[in-house]
């Protein structure tokens, strides 16, 4: 479902962020992408949401080449993908309910569906009692769980998580990963970018290791964090 | 579905507006000042227009007829003048009326009264007071008279004495209009820039929110619409605030203006045109807010 073919990304100052990347991720997989800072992990995720376009190569999701998307089609691509960020990226002027509801509103869901689905999503991430709280009234772990609820709400086929535990303590981080595992078990493809050795080792799933913009190792089963 | 989307957009716009109350208050305040400036310019234009009109009204051309001229001849000239589309009014003053007016004007001057009493005949002439539609048209009225078939019955046309005054009034009125227009344009441009930048800063504060909306799949119009509503709300509140301040100010300074310029009623003018003024200011505010939001948000939608 995700296919990166000969992807290179070179910045204007000649810095090579991605260097001839080839990667295929099939439906329902849970893949961890690991590597030191500056290895190109986040750039790779930005290619999948069309925040960035590659200098060379093709990114294909479900058979659609992302380079061919018009700016009007980009929102449609992003609605298929749920994204979770290290810095949560929540709407600070909206409360927890509204943050989750927003992702449904943009896909044109009715008020009835929003009223029905948002409490369920908040319940899944354990934030039912905080639906009226604003992001500044939530802890780091709660913010990330809220971001997961938002990423889940429109039932995306892919979840991209960019260092989702980076700003969290161990317990909160563990909760987040457990949630992602549950989501994956329900059939959603999960791509997890992380620095966290314990998490990767505990997951024991496919691990792709990147260094200096290249994929240096791809352990398809029982992968471990090796740099 | 469209109704629901519209309701959602308006509701989000309102939420943005009242949840960022400090910023909204500041932006509304600046926009209210800008709209007040516009209202001030309207008031200035009104006052200067009244002044110029009053000045122009004082200018006329008098045509004095020889004492031997018959009333019929004068009436013929009057009718011919009235037929001209450059002429606004023609007033006939007979010799008797002229004498009565002269006596009234100099009622306190015993020397003149005695001199008049000694005269056996009325020394004054019949005349026509001509007012042109525009001060620039007096020359053409005069040349019309100069070539009129009854020119021989005319003794004197006082345009030549008044010419300098007429020119002066004309240049004052023209430059008042020109400078008024230039001043209004310059101030209007400054005001629009100030309002635009204020709204831009307000939207800039919400830059990351706009980017997040893009990242979760919001279409450009879906993201933009609540900010347009927010911009319109700034305009509406600013308009209402400016109108309240303006009408209170007009109410309090109007009697003072009437003392300096009798016959000028600022409050009367703005009360009479209240509907147009209110609509203009509210519509202007809404347009200013929405256009500013539209331009400001454009650059954040390129994620």
């Amino acid at each position: 479902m995700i296919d990166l073919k000969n992807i290179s990304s070179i910045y204007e100052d000649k810095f090579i962020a991605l260097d001839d990347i080839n990667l295929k991720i099939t439906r329902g997989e849970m893949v961890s992408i690991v590597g030191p800072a500056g290895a190109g992990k986040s750039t790779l995720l930005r290619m999948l949401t069309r925040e960035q376009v590659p200098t060379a190569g093709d990114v294909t999701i479900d058979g659609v080449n992302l380079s061919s998307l018009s700016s009007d089609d980009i929102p449609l691509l992003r609605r298929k993908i749920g994204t979770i960020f290290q810095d949560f990226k929540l709407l600070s002027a909206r409360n927890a309910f509204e943050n989750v509801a927003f992702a449904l509103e943009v896909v044109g869901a009715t008020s009835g569906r929003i009223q029905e689905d948002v409490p369920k999503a908040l319940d899944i991430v354990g934030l039912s009692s905080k639906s009226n709280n604003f992001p500044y009234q939530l802890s780091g772990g709660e913010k990330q769980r809220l971001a997961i609820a938002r990423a889940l709400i429109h039932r995306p086929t892919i979840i991209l998580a960019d260092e989702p535990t980076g700003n969290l303590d161990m317990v909160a981080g563990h909760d987040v990963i457990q949630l992602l595992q549950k989501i994956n078990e329900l059939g959603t493809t999960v791509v997890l970018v992380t620095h966290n050795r314990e998490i990767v080792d505990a997951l024991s799933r496919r691990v792709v290791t990147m260094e200096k913009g290249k994929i240096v190792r791809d352990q398809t089963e029982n992968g471990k964090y090796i740099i | 579905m469209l109704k629901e989307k519209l309701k959602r957009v308006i509701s989000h716009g309102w939420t943005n507006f009242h949840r960022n109350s400090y910023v909204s208050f500041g932006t509304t305040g600046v926009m209210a000042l800008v709209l007040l400036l516009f209202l001030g310019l309207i008031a200035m234009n009104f006052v200067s227009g009244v002044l110029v009109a009053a000045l122009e009204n004082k200018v006329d051309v008098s045509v004095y007829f020889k004492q031997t001229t018959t009333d019929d001849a004068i009436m013929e000239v009057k009718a011919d003048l009235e037929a001209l589309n450059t002429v606004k009014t023609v007033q006939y003053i007979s010799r008797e009326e002229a004498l009565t007016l002269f006596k009234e004007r100099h009622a306190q001057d015993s020397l003149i009264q005695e001199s008049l009493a000694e005269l056996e005949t009325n020394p004054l002439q019949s005349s026509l007071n001509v007012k042109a539609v525009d001060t620039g048209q007096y020359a053409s009225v005069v040349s019309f008279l100069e070539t009129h078939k009854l020119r021989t019955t005319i003794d004197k046309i006082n345009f030549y004495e008044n010419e300098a005054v007429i020119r002066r009034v004309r240049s004052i009125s023209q430059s008042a209009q020109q400078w008024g227009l230039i001043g209004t344009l310059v101030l209007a441009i400054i005001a629009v820039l100030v309002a635009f930048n204020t709204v831009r800063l307000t939207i800039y504060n919400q830059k990351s929110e706009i980017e997040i909306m893009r990242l979760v799949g919001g279409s450009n119009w879906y993201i933009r619409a609540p900010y347009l509503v927010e911009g319109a709300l700034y305009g509406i509140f600013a308009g209402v605030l400016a109108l309240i301040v303006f009408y209170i100010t007009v109410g309090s300074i109007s009697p003072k203006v009437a003392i300096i310029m009798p016959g000028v009623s600022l409050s009367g003018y703005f009360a009479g045109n209240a509907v147009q003024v209110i609509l203009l200011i509210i519509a202007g505010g809404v347009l200013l807010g929405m256009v500013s939001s539209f331009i400001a948000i454009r650059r954040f939608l390129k994620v």
Side-chain angles (χ1 to χ4, degrees), chain A residues 51 75 78-79 89-94 98 102 105-106 108-111 114 134 150, chain B residues 1 4-5 8 12 15-16 19-20 209 212-219 222 303:
Chain A
E51 280 175 79
R78 290 176 182 165
R79 289 173 202 173
K89 291 204 192 297
L90 296 168
L91 300 169
S92 59
R94 298 189 187 204
E98 290 163 344
F102 183 76
E105 287 168 7
V106 299
T110 61
S111 295
I114 291 173
F134 286 88
R150 180 183 66 190
Chain B
M1 195 61 218
E4 190 167 327
K5 270 189 181 168
R8 230 174 244 173
H12 285 326
T15 307
N16 282 351
R19 282 198 187 147
N20 296 317
E209 311 237 327
I212 294 165
M213 290 176 186
R214 274 293 270 164
L215 288 175
V216 299
S219 67
Y222 197 83
V303 182

mmCIF file of all heavy atoms in Angstrom, chain A residues 51 75 78-79 89-94 98 102 105-106 108-111 114 134 150, chain B residues 1 4-5 8 12 15-16 19-20 209 212-219 222 303:
data_model
loop_
_atom_site.group_PDB
_atom_site.id
_atom_site.type_symbol
_atom_site.label_atom_id
_atom_site.label_comp_id
_atom_site.label_asym_id
_atom_site.label_seq_id
_atom_site.Cartn_x
_atom_site.Cartn_y
_atom_site.Cartn_z
ATOM 1 N N GLU A 51 3.740 16.811 2.587
ATOM 2 C CA GLU A 51 4.228 18.101 3.089
ATOM 3 C C GLU A 51 5.469 18.462 2.298
ATOM 4 O O GLU A 51 5.843 19.619 2.199
ATOM 5 C CB GLU A 51 4.592 17.979 4.576
ATOM 6 C CG GLU A 51 3.417 18.048 5.513
ATOM 7 C CD GLU A 51 3.878 17.802 6.922
ATOM 8 O OE1 GLU A 51 4.417 18.746 7.546
ATOM 9 O OE2 GLU A 51 3.703 16.668 7.419
ATOM 10 N N PRO A 75 -5.737 17.468 0.558
ATOM 11 C CA PRO A 75 -6.568 17.190 1.741
ATOM 12 C C PRO A 75 -7.200 15.795 1.695
ATOM 13 O O PRO A 75 -7.319 15.138 2.732
ATOM 14 C CB PRO A 75 -7.654 18.265 1.686
ATOM 15 C CG PRO A 75 -7.062 19.374 0.908
ATOM 16 C CD PRO A 75 -6.149 18.728 -0.082
ATOM 17 N N ARG A 78 -4.702 13.331 2.877
ATOM 18 C CA ARG A 78 -4.449 13.430 4.323
ATOM 19 C C ARG A 78 -5.599 12.869 5.151
ATOM 20 O O ARG A 78 -5.417 12.510 6.308
ATOM 21 C CB ARG A 78 -4.170 14.891 4.694
ATOM 22 C CG ARG A 78 -2.823 15.330 4.140
ATOM 23 C CD ARG A 78 -2.524 16.780 4.385
ATOM 24 N NE ARG A 78 -1.235 17.127 3.778
ATOM 25 C CZ ARG A 78 -0.822 18.354 3.573
ATOM 26 N NH1 ARG A 78 -1.574 19.374 3.932
ATOM 27 N NH2 ARG A 78 0.355 18.590 3.026
ATOM 28 N N ARG A 79 -6.780 12.821 4.558
ATOM 29 C CA ARG A 79 -7.917 12.260 5.288
ATOM 30 C C ARG A 79 -7.829 10.731 5.373
ATOM 31 O O ARG A 79 -8.526 10.115 6.159
ATOM 32 C CB ARG A 79 -9.226 12.666 4.609
ATOM 33 C CG ARG A 79 -9.510 14.137 4.808
ATOM 34 C CD ARG A 79 -10.700 14.577 4.008
ATOM 35 N NE ARG A 79 -10.635 16.016 3.789
ATOM 36 C CZ ARG A 79 -11.476 16.678 3.010
ATOM 37 N NH1 ARG A 79 -12.435 16.034 2.389
ATOM 38 N NH2 ARG A 79 -11.358 17.974 2.856
ATOM 39 N N LYS A 89 0.658 18.895 18.178
ATOM 40 C CA LYS A 89 -0.051 19.717 17.170
ATOM 41 C C LYS A 89 -1.576 19.697 17.387
ATOM 42 O O LYS A 89 -2.358 19.350 16.492
ATOM 43 C CB LYS A 89 0.289 19.266 15.743
ATOM 44 C CG LYS A 89 1.729 19.583 15.351
ATOM 45 C CD LYS A 89 1.864 19.680 13.856
ATOM 46 C CE LYS A 89 3.307 19.700 13.377
ATOM 47 N NZ LYS A 89 4.093 20.839 13.831
ATOM 48 N N LEU A 90 -1.964 20.114 18.577
ATOM 49 C CA LEU A 90 -3.398 20.227 18.869
ATOM 50 C C LEU A 90 -3.837 21.670 18.640
ATOM 51 O O LEU A 90 -3.017 22.588 18.710
ATOM 52 C CB LEU A 90 -3.667 19.814 20.323
ATOM 53 C CG LEU A 90 -3.357 18.346 20.643
ATOM 54 C CD1 LEU A 90 -3.365 18.126 22.155
ATOM 55 C CD2 LEU A 90 -4.345 17.410 19.961
ATOM 56 N N LEU A 91 -5.118 21.864 18.402
ATOM 57 C CA LEU A 91 -5.643 23.224 18.220
ATOM 58 C C LEU A 91 -5.878 23.822 19.609
ATOM 59 O O LEU A 91 -6.769 23.379 20.336
ATOM 60 C CB LEU A 91 -6.945 23.181 17.411
ATOM 61 C CG LEU A 91 -6.812 22.575 16.014
ATOM 62 C CD1 LEU A 91 -8.166 22.329 15.387
ATOM 63 C CD2 LEU A 91 -5.981 23.482 15.121
ATOM 64 N N SER A 92 -5.041 24.798 19.960
ATOM 65 C CA SER A 92 -5.060 25.278 21.344
ATOM 66 C C SER A 92 -6.344 26.011 21.720
ATOM 67 O O SER A 92 -6.713 26.064 22.883
ATOM 68 C CB SER A 92 -3.852 26.187 21.588
ATOM 69 O OG SER A 92 -3.912 27.261 20.687
ATOM 70 N N ALA A 93 -7.035 26.576 20.708
ATOM 71 C CA ALA A 93 -8.257 27.332 21.032
ATOM 72 C C ALA A 93 -9.486 26.423 21.071
ATOM 73 O O ALA A 93 -10.597 26.902 21.255
ATOM 74 C CB ALA A 93 -8.459 28.443 20.010
ATOM 75 N N ARG A 94 -9.279 25.109 20.874
ATOM 76 C CA ARG A 94 -10.441 24.209 20.896
ATOM 77 C C ARG A 94 -10.259 23.165 21.986
ATOM 78 O O ARG A 94 -9.125 22.736 22.260
ATOM 79 C CB ARG A 94 -10.570 23.506 19.552
ATOM 80 C CG ARG A 94 -10.799 24.499 18.430
ATOM 81 C CD ARG A 94 -11.147 23.811 17.157
ATOM 82 N NE ARG A 94 -11.186 24.808 16.086
ATOM 83 C CZ ARG A 94 -11.869 24.674 14.974
ATOM 84 N NH1 ARG A 94 -12.582 23.604 14.789
ATOM 85 N NH2 ARG A 94 -11.845 25.599 14.054
ATOM 86 N N GLU A 98 -13.643 19.186 20.595
ATOM 87 C CA GLU A 98 -13.600 19.918 19.314
ATOM 88 C C GLU A 98 -12.367 19.557 18.484
ATOM 89 O O GLU A 98 -12.420 19.544 17.252
ATOM 90 C CB GLU A 98 -13.619 21.427 19.579
ATOM 91 C CG GLU A 98 -14.956 21.914 20.097
ATOM 92 C CD GLU A 98 -14.881 23.282 20.750
ATOM 93 O OE1 GLU A 98 -13.763 23.737 21.080
ATOM 94 O OE2 GLU A 98 -15.947 23.870 20.947
ATOM 95 N N PHE A 102 -12.877 18.061 14.833
ATOM 96 C CA PHE A 102 -12.410 18.791 13.651
ATOM 97 C C PHE A 102 -12.028 17.855 12.504
ATOM 98 O O PHE A 102 -12.352 18.096 11.343
ATOM 99 C CB PHE A 102 -11.230 19.706 13.997
ATOM 100 C CG PHE A 102 -10.795 20.510 12.813
ATOM 101 C CD1 PHE A 102 -11.534 21.600 12.392
ATOM 102 C CD2 PHE A 102 -9.681 20.153 12.058
ATOM 103 C CE1 PHE A 102 -11.178 22.311 11.268
ATOM 104 C CE2 PHE A 102 -9.307 20.861 10.940
ATOM 105 C CZ PHE A 102 -10.068 21.953 10.550
ATOM 106 N N GLU A 105 -15.123 16.842 10.910
ATOM 107 C CA GLU A 105 -15.782 17.939 10.194
ATOM 108 C C GLU A 105 -15.178 18.116 8.801
ATOM 109 O O GLU A 105 -15.890 18.359 7.842
ATOM 110 C CB GLU A 105 -15.643 19.249 10.982
ATOM 111 C CG GLU A 105 -16.532 19.288 12.216
ATOM 112 C CD GLU A 105 -16.176 20.444 13.130
ATOM 113 O OE1 GLU A 105 -15.336 21.281 12.744
ATOM 114 O OE2 GLU A 105 -16.724 20.496 14.234
ATOM 115 N N VAL A 106 -13.841 18.007 8.735
ATOM 116 C CA VAL A 106 -13.204 18.248 7.436
ATOM 117 C C VAL A 106 -13.570 17.181 6.398
ATOM 118 O O VAL A 106 -13.482 17.419 5.212
ATOM 119 C CB VAL A 106 -11.661 18.400 7.510
ATOM 120 C CG1 VAL A 106 -11.262 19.561 8.376
ATOM 121 C CG2 VAL A 106 -11.007 17.126 7.962
ATOM 122 N N GLY A 108 -16.519 16.106 6.202
ATOM 123 C CA GLY A 108 -17.937 16.390 5.908
ATOM 124 C C GLY A 108 -18.907 15.531 6.692
ATOM 125 O O GLY A 108 -20.038 15.304 6.256
ATOM 126 N N ALA A 109 -18.472 15.044 7.883
ATOM 127 C CA ALA A 109 -19.375 14.203 8.690
ATOM 128 C C ALA A 109 -20.538 15.030 9.238
ATOM 129 O O ALA A 109 -20.397 16.226 9.474
ATOM 130 C CB ALA A 109 -18.599 13.577 9.839
ATOM 131 N N THR A 110 -21.667 14.372 9.445
ATOM 132 C CA THR A 110 -22.831 15.086 9.994
ATOM 133 C C THR A 110 -22.644 15.303 11.494
ATOM 134 O O THR A 110 -21.848 14.614 12.138
ATOM 135 C CB THR A 110 -24.112 14.257 9.804
ATOM 136 O OG1 THR A 110 -23.927 13.028 10.507
ATOM 137 C CG2 THR A 110 -24.397 13.990 8.337
ATOM 138 N N SER A 111 -23.415 16.236 12.041
ATOM 139 C CA SER A 111 -23.327 16.507 13.478
ATOM 140 C C SER A 111 -23.675 15.255 14.274
ATOM 141 O O SER A 111 -23.085 14.981 15.318
ATOM 142 C CB SER A 111 -24.287 17.629 13.866
ATOM 143 O OG SER A 111 -23.889 18.803 13.242
ATOM 144 N N ILE A 114 -20.738 13.023 14.440
ATOM 145 C CA ILE A 114 -19.711 13.618 15.303
ATOM 146 C C ILE A 114 -20.069 13.389 16.779
ATOM 147 O O ILE A 114 -19.232 12.953 17.571
ATOM 148 C CB ILE A 114 -19.561 15.128 14.990
ATOM 149 C CG1 ILE A 114 -18.932 15.297 13.596
ATOM 150 C CG2 ILE A 114 -18.728 15.842 16.053
ATOM 151 C CD1 ILE A 114 -18.876 16.718 13.090
ATOM 152 N N PHE A 134 -9.202 22.076 27.606
ATOM 153 C CA PHE A 134 -8.394 22.598 26.506
ATOM 154 C C PHE A 134 -7.001 21.960 26.591
ATOM 155 O O PHE A 134 -6.592 21.515 27.673
ATOM 156 C CB PHE A 134 -8.312 24.119 26.601
ATOM 157 C CG PHE A 134 -9.597 24.783 26.198
ATOM 158 C CD1 PHE A 134 -10.602 25.002 27.118
ATOM 159 C CD2 PHE A 134 -9.806 25.141 24.874
ATOM 160 C CE1 PHE A 134 -11.809 25.574 26.738
ATOM 161 C CE2 PHE A 134 -11.005 25.712 24.483
ATOM 162 C CZ PHE A 134 -12.009 25.937 25.413
ATOM 163 N N ARG A 150 -7.710 11.924 17.693
ATOM 164 C CA ARG A 150 -7.974 12.717 16.486
ATOM 165 C C ARG A 150 -7.503 11.967 15.228
ATOM 166 O O ARG A 150 -8.164 11.991 14.196
ATOM 167 C CB ARG A 150 -7.239 14.067 16.580
ATOM 168 C CG ARG A 150 -7.468 14.934 15.369
ATOM 169 C CD ARG A 150 -6.693 16.222 15.440
ATOM 170 N NE ARG A 150 -5.258 15.977 15.395
ATOM 171 C CZ ARG A 150 -4.339 16.908 15.623
ATOM 172 N NH1 ARG A 150 -4.721 18.133 15.949
ATOM 173 N NH2 ARG A 150 -3.055 16.629 15.559
ATOM 174 N N MET B 1 -26.960 19.730 4.107
ATOM 175 C CA MET B 1 -25.511 19.593 4.367
ATOM 176 C C MET B 1 -24.820 20.955 4.278
ATOM 177 O O MET B 1 -24.013 21.310 5.113
ATOM 178 C CB MET B 1 -24.909 18.631 3.332
ATOM 179 C CG MET B 1 -23.523 18.141 3.698
ATOM 180 S SD MET B 1 -23.508 17.227 5.239
ATOM 181 C CE MET B 1 -21.979 17.773 5.942
ATOM 182 N N GLU B 4 -25.621 22.941 7.229
ATOM 183 C CA GLU B 4 -24.867 22.491 8.399
ATOM 184 C C GLU B 4 -23.424 23.008 8.335
ATOM 185 O O GLU B 4 -22.869 23.466 9.334
ATOM 186 C CB GLU B 4 -24.889 20.962 8.443
ATOM 187 C CG GLU B 4 -24.330 20.428 9.753
ATOM 188 C CD GLU B 4 -24.638 18.950 9.939
ATOM 189 O OE1 GLU B 4 -25.699 18.490 9.481
ATOM 190 O OE2 GLU B 4 -23.788 18.270 10.536
ATOM 191 N N LYS B 5 -22.844 22.955 7.118
ATOM 192 C CA LYS B 5 -21.466 23.444 6.938
ATOM 193 C C LYS B 5 -21.393 24.929 7.265
ATOM 194 O O LYS B 5 -20.478 25.394 7.941
ATOM 195 C CB LYS B 5 -21.011 23.214 5.493
ATOM 196 C CG LYS B 5 -20.353 21.872 5.285
ATOM 197 C CD LYS B 5 -19.734 21.796 3.900
ATOM 198 C CE LYS B 5 -19.101 20.438 3.686
ATOM 199 N NZ LYS B 5 -18.741 20.205 2.314
ATOM 200 N N ARG B 8 -21.601 25.505 10.881
ATOM 201 C CA ARG B 8 -20.335 25.127 11.504
ATOM 202 C C ARG B 8 -19.287 26.228 11.320
ATOM 203 O O ARG B 8 -18.568 26.584 12.244
ATOM 204 C CB ARG B 8 -19.840 23.855 10.824
ATOM 205 C CG ARG B 8 -19.449 22.787 11.779
ATOM 206 C CD ARG B 8 -19.128 21.548 10.993
ATOM 207 N NE ARG B 8 -20.049 20.483 11.305
ATOM 208 C CZ ARG B 8 -20.070 19.326 10.643
ATOM 209 N NH1 ARG B 8 -19.264 19.122 9.629
ATOM 210 N NH2 ARG B 8 -20.907 18.398 11.002
ATOM 211 N N HIS B 12 -17.565 28.283 14.240
ATOM 212 C CA HIS B 12 -16.108 28.281 14.482
ATOM 213 C C HIS B 12 -15.545 29.707 14.438
ATOM 214 O O HIS B 12 -14.648 30.043 15.209
ATOM 215 C CB HIS B 12 -15.389 27.414 13.457
ATOM 216 C CG HIS B 12 -15.575 25.940 13.714
ATOM 217 N ND1 HIS B 12 -15.679 25.435 14.977
ATOM 218 C CD2 HIS B 12 -15.687 24.890 12.878
ATOM 219 C CE1 HIS B 12 -15.849 24.122 14.908
ATOM 220 N NE2 HIS B 12 -15.874 23.768 13.637
ATOM 221 N N THR B 15 -16.356 31.218 17.628
ATOM 222 C CA THR B 15 -15.520 30.636 18.686
ATOM 223 C C THR B 15 -14.122 31.244 18.656
ATOM 224 O O THR B 15 -13.587 31.647 19.688
ATOM 225 C CB THR B 15 -15.427 29.102 18.493
ATOM 226 O OG1 THR B 15 -16.749 28.600 18.395
ATOM 227 C CG2 THR B 15 -14.722 28.433 19.643
ATOM 228 N N ASN B 16 -13.527 31.317 17.450
ATOM 229 C CA ASN B 16 -12.193 31.943 17.318
ATOM 230 C C ASN B 16 -12.218 33.351 17.875
ATOM 231 O O ASN B 16 -11.301 33.782 18.563
ATOM 232 C CB ASN B 16 -11.794 32.048 15.842
ATOM 233 C CG ASN B 16 -11.311 30.735 15.288
ATOM 234 O OD1 ASN B 16 -11.110 29.786 16.036
ATOM 235 N ND2 ASN B 16 -11.153 30.669 13.979
ATOM 236 N N ARG B 19 -12.885 33.322 21.891
ATOM 237 C CA ARG B 19 -11.882 32.651 22.722
ATOM 238 C C ARG B 19 -10.547 33.399 22.704
ATOM 239 O O ARG B 19 -9.782 33.322 23.645
ATOM 240 C CB ARG B 19 -11.687 31.211 22.269
ATOM 241 C CG ARG B 19 -12.824 30.340 22.775
ATOM 242 C CD ARG B 19 -12.479 28.895 22.739
ATOM 243 N NE ARG B 19 -13.659 28.105 23.064
ATOM 244 C CZ ARG B 19 -13.910 26.928 22.551
ATOM 245 N NH1 ARG B 19 -13.058 26.394 21.686
ATOM 246 N NH2 ARG B 19 -14.976 26.254 22.890
ATOM 247 N N ASN B 20 -10.287 34.119 21.617
ATOM 248 C CA ASN B 20 -9.073 34.956 21.591
ATOM 249 C C ASN B 20 -9.479 36.377 21.955
ATOM 250 O O ASN B 20 -9.196 37.325 21.237
ATOM 251 C CB ASN B 20 -8.455 34.976 20.189
ATOM 252 C CG ASN B 20 -7.979 33.611 19.765
ATOM 253 O OD1 ASN B 20 -7.383 32.902 20.553
ATOM 254 N ND2 ASN B 20 -8.255 33.242 18.529
ATOM 255 N N GLU B 209 -2.167 26.791 14.069
ATOM 256 C CA GLU B 209 -3.483 26.148 14.023
ATOM 257 C C GLU B 209 -3.904 25.904 12.571
ATOM 258 O O GLU B 209 -4.451 24.848 12.243
ATOM 259 C CB GLU B 209 -4.531 27.035 14.698
ATOM 260 C CG GLU B 209 -4.097 27.528 16.053
ATOM 261 C CD GLU B 209 -5.058 27.158 17.153
ATOM 262 O OE1 GLU B 209 -6.251 27.102 16.857
ATOM 263 O OE2 GLU B 209 -4.595 26.915 18.282
ATOM 264 N N ILE B 212 -2.031 23.011 11.235
ATOM 265 C CA ILE B 212 -2.555 21.735 11.754
ATOM 266 C C ILE B 212 -3.818 21.346 10.988
ATOM 267 O O ILE B 212 -3.998 20.190 10.599
ATOM 268 C CB ILE B 212 -2.873 21.847 13.266
ATOM 269 C CG1 ILE B 212 -1.582 22.068 14.055
ATOM 270 C CG2 ILE B 212 -3.595 20.606 13.763
ATOM 271 C CD1 ILE B 212 -1.802 22.536 15.473
ATOM 272 N N MET B 213 -4.671 22.339 10.743
ATOM 273 C CA MET B 213 -5.910 22.054 10.013
ATOM 274 C C MET B 213 -5.600 21.471 8.634
ATOM 275 O O MET B 213 -6.268 20.553 8.166
ATOM 276 C CB MET B 213 -6.731 23.326 9.868
ATOM 277 C CG MET B 213 -7.310 23.799 11.174
ATOM 278 S SD MET B 213 -8.142 25.362 10.915
ATOM 279 C CE MET B 213 -8.561 25.791 12.588
ATOM 280 N N ARG B 214 -4.561 22.017 8.008
ATOM 281 C CA ARG B 214 -4.151 21.497 6.705
ATOM 282 C C ARG B 214 -3.674 20.050 6.849
ATOM 283 O O ARG B 214 -3.998 19.201 6.031
ATOM 284 C CB ARG B 214 -2.978 22.325 6.144
ATOM 285 C CG ARG B 214 -3.368 23.541 5.380
ATOM 286 C CD ARG B 214 -4.069 23.228 4.094
ATOM 287 N NE ARG B 214 -3.194 23.076 2.941
ATOM 288 C CZ ARG B 214 -3.573 22.512 1.809
ATOM 289 N NH1 ARG B 214 -4.773 22.024 1.684
ATOM 290 N NH2 ARG B 214 -2.742 22.417 0.797
ATOM 291 N N LEU B 215 -2.914 19.805 7.924
ATOM 292 C CA LEU B 215 -2.321 18.476 8.087
ATOM 293 C C LEU B 215 -3.352 17.398 8.404
ATOM 294 O O LEU B 215 -3.129 16.231 8.117
ATOM 295 C CB LEU B 215 -1.238 18.504 9.175
ATOM 296 C CG LEU B 215 0.046 19.232 8.773
ATOM 297 C CD1 LEU B 215 0.996 19.325 9.934
ATOM 298 C CD2 LEU B 215 0.720 18.526 7.602
ATOM 299 N N VAL B 216 -4.464 17.788 9.028
ATOM 300 C CA VAL B 216 -5.469 16.749 9.287
ATOM 301 C C VAL B 216 -6.461 16.644 8.123
ATOM 302 O O VAL B 216 -7.450 15.938 8.210
ATOM 303 C CB VAL B 216 -6.222 16.923 10.629
ATOM 304 C CG1 VAL B 216 -5.277 16.872 11.794
ATOM 305 C CG2 VAL B 216 -7.049 18.189 10.640
ATOM 306 N N GLY B 217 -6.171 17.355 7.036
ATOM 307 C CA GLY B 217 -6.961 17.144 5.821
ATOM 308 C C GLY B 217 -8.041 18.168 5.554
ATOM 309 O O GLY B 217 -8.951 17.905 4.777
ATOM 310 N N GLY B 218 -7.948 19.328 6.212
ATOM 311 C CA GLY B 218 -8.927 20.392 5.944
ATOM 312 C C GLY B 218 -8.679 20.999 4.575
ATOM 313 O O GLY B 218 -7.527 21.259 4.220
ATOM 314 N N SER B 219 -9.736 21.179 3.779
ATOM 315 C CA SER B 219 -9.537 21.812 2.471
ATOM 316 C C SER B 219 -9.313 23.312 2.701
ATOM 317 O O SER B 219 -9.688 23.846 3.744
ATOM 318 C CB SER B 219 -10.752 21.582 1.586
ATOM 319 O OG SER B 219 -11.850 22.280 2.122
ATOM 320 N N TYR B 222 -12.395 25.188 3.625
ATOM 321 C CA TYR B 222 -12.931 24.814 4.932
ATOM 322 C C TYR B 222 -12.143 25.496 6.055
ATOM 323 O O TYR B 222 -12.700 25.870 7.085
ATOM 324 C CB TYR B 222 -12.890 23.288 5.096
ATOM 325 C CG TYR B 222 -13.785 22.864 6.205
ATOM 326 C CD1 TYR B 222 -15.146 22.699 5.983
ATOM 327 C CD2 TYR B 222 -13.295 22.704 7.506
ATOM 328 C CE1 TYR B 222 -15.991 22.359 7.005
ATOM 329 C CE2 TYR B 222 -14.134 22.370 8.535
ATOM 330 C CZ TYR B 222 -15.485 22.192 8.281
ATOM 331 O OH TYR B 222 -16.321 21.872 9.304
ATOM 332 N N VAL B 303 0.948 24.534 3.151
ATOM 333 C CA VAL B 303 1.635 23.392 3.770
ATOM 334 C C VAL B 303 1.360 22.132 2.973
ATOM 335 O O VAL B 303 0.213 21.852 2.686
ATOM 336 C CB VAL B 303 1.153 23.194 5.220
ATOM 337 C CG1 VAL B 303 1.911 22.048 5.860
ATOM 338 C CG2 VAL B 303 1.362 24.451 6.013
#
